[in-house]
Each structure stands twice: as C-alpha cells, then as structure tokens.
Amino acid sequence: MARPDLNPALAFLRVPTPAAWFERAREQIPTLLMDHANCEKKAASTALSMTYRYVQHPPLLHKMSQLAREEMRHFEMVLELMEAEGIVYEQLSSARYAQALHQHIRKQEPYRLIDTLLVGAIVEARSCERFVGLIEVLPERIAHLYRTLVHSEARHFGEYLALARNIAAAHDLDEEVDRRVDDLLDEEATLVTTPDATFRFHSGAPD
C-alpha cells in the first residue's frame, strides 16, 4: 500500500508551529512523550465514543473502530519508547488546545458530527506537522518514533476530513462545511501562535 502524501495535511493548516515550540520539545523530551501518550489515548477514546453515538452511520463506525485500534497501538509504541528511555509516566494536566477547539463544536445534529470530524481532522493535521518538525530536531532514537508515525497521522487527517465532507454532502451542507473549516482553522491558528505557560504536545508558542 502506498503511503499517504503529507502535503495535503501540512497545507491544510493556516500557520506553522513556532520554531520556539520545537526548541522547547528538544529540551523537554519526557514531557513531550508523556503528553503524546495522553494524546494517543484521547484520540482512541474519541473514536470509540463515536461508535456509540453514531450507530446509524456504518462507514463512520468502521473507520472509527479501525482508528481506535490504531491509536492504541501508537500509545503502546510511545509507552515502549518511554520505558526504553527510563521515563516514568506521570499525570499531566491537559493543554488548552483540544478543549478550546471542542468548545466550538455545535450541539445540534448533524452540525455536531460534522464539527467533531473537522476538529479531528485539524488535530491530526497539526500532529502530522509537528511529527515532521520533531524528526528534524530530536535525537535519532526519539525521532525514529515520529518517522514511523507521521504517515498514519496524514492518513487520519484525510479520513476525518472525508467523513466530514460526506456527512455534510448527505445533508446538502457542502458550503457550510467549507465555512466551518475556515472558522475552526482560524481558531486553531490563534491557539498555536499565542503564548502558553505550560509545554504540551499541542501547546502554543512557549511563554
């Protein structure tokens, strides 16, 4: 199977991650890996929860089931690397990033489903972009993990975006989904470029 092209995921975003974030990542590898592990668990949980909420959408059920399994395998890979590096897994507070994006998800269906899928696409695109940058700045033993995972993130981005567009098309909301993409990407760009006091995998510019 051919690997997914990274370009669509990278071009989708409004702004690049600030260089200072990658510098901080190199300085705080334990925190980076711990929060990355948390992100993989949350991604699996989100995908699994959608299989309960949206049983009337078989294509979504199949895709979310596959994605949940894959995200948990990625969690295991991060955990194995942490163990090899002697990093003790500790509880970390969450970044504002995902919570802030989810606050923009509308409550009424089918807008809720469309927005949830679009937020998933944005998070995966940003993860892909950060994986690419981390490969360049981290020691090879750590960078290897991100080199292994980066194409999966690009594929997840494409799958979330395709599902959102398919659901929107089924409800004659094609133009609406384009407007929502613009709105959510604007919010995401603000989160990524404004200062964050706490370093996390999806935090903004270091304060």
Side-chain angles (χ1 to χ4, degrees):
M1 179 184 295
R3 285 184 167 184
D5 183 1
L6 301 182
N7 290 333
L10 303 183
F12 182 71
L13 301 168
R14 287 276 189 271
V15 297
T17 294
W21 184 89
F22 289 107
E23 294 172 7
R24 188 65 59 86
R26 186 169 51 202
E27 297 167 356
Q28 297 193 26
I29 289 174
T31 299
L32 174 76
L33 292 178
M34 281 187 277
D35 200 50
H36 181 183
N38 290 341
C39 290
E40 298 291 0
K41 286 192 294 184
K42 289 174 185 175
S45 177
T46 297
L48 190 59
S49 71
M50 293 179 74
T51 68
Y52 286 94
R53 182 178 293 276
Y54 297 108
V55 297
Q56 72 275 31
H57 294 292
L60 182 144
L61 296 180
H62 287 289
K63 191 59 64 180
M64 290 299 109
S65 176
Q66 294 166 6
L67 194 146
R69 292 196 301 273
E70 191 167 7
E71 299 288 17
M72 285 309 298
R73 176 54 190 146
H74 293 173
F75 166 70
E76 293 168 0
M77 293 168 69
V78 179
L79 193 61
E80 289 165 3
L81 178 59
M82 288 168 55
E83 291 169 350
E85 292 292 309
I87 298 170
V88 178
Y89 198 170
E90 300 174 357
Q91 292 287 353
L92 294 177
S93 60
S94 299
R96 60 180 176 144
Y97 179 88
Q99 183 178 4
L101 286 177
H102 279 87
Q103 286 176 352
H104 291 270
I105 293 175
R106 292 166 291 183
K107 304 301 183 185
Q108 184 179 355
E109 298 292 359
Y111 305 106
R112 178 175 180 168
L113 174 55
I114 292 168
D115 286 356
T116 299
L117 292 167
L118 290 177
V119 167
I122 290 170
V123 172
E124 296 289 347
R126 179 60 64 187
S127 297
C128 181
E129 186 253 2
R130 293 199 167 178
F131 284 9
V132 170
L134 288 169
I135 291 168
E136 301 299 321
V137 302
L138 295 179
E140 175 55 30
R141 67 185 189 280
I142 310 295
H144 177 74
L145 171 70
Y146 294 101
R147 190 175 293 108
T148 301
L149 298 180
V150 66
H151 288 279
S152 294
E153 297 300 291
R155 175 166 47 78
H156 294 170
F157 154 75
E159 290 169 346
Y160 268 116
L161 188 60
L163 284 168
R165 292 198 180 282
N166 289 343
I167 296 294
H171 293 86
D172 197 24
L173 293 170
D174 301 83
E175 293 183 2
E176 168 69 14
V177 79
D178 289 334
R179 287 194 294 269
R180 287 304 289 167
V181 166
D182 286 339
D183 291 344
L184 291 168
L185 284 174
D186 285 344
E187 175 63 22
E188 199 269 352
T190 299
L191 291 168
V192 166
T193 55
T194 54
D196 252 326
T198 304
F199 174 76
R200 294 291 185 266
F201 193 88
H202 285 118
S203 56
D207 194 353

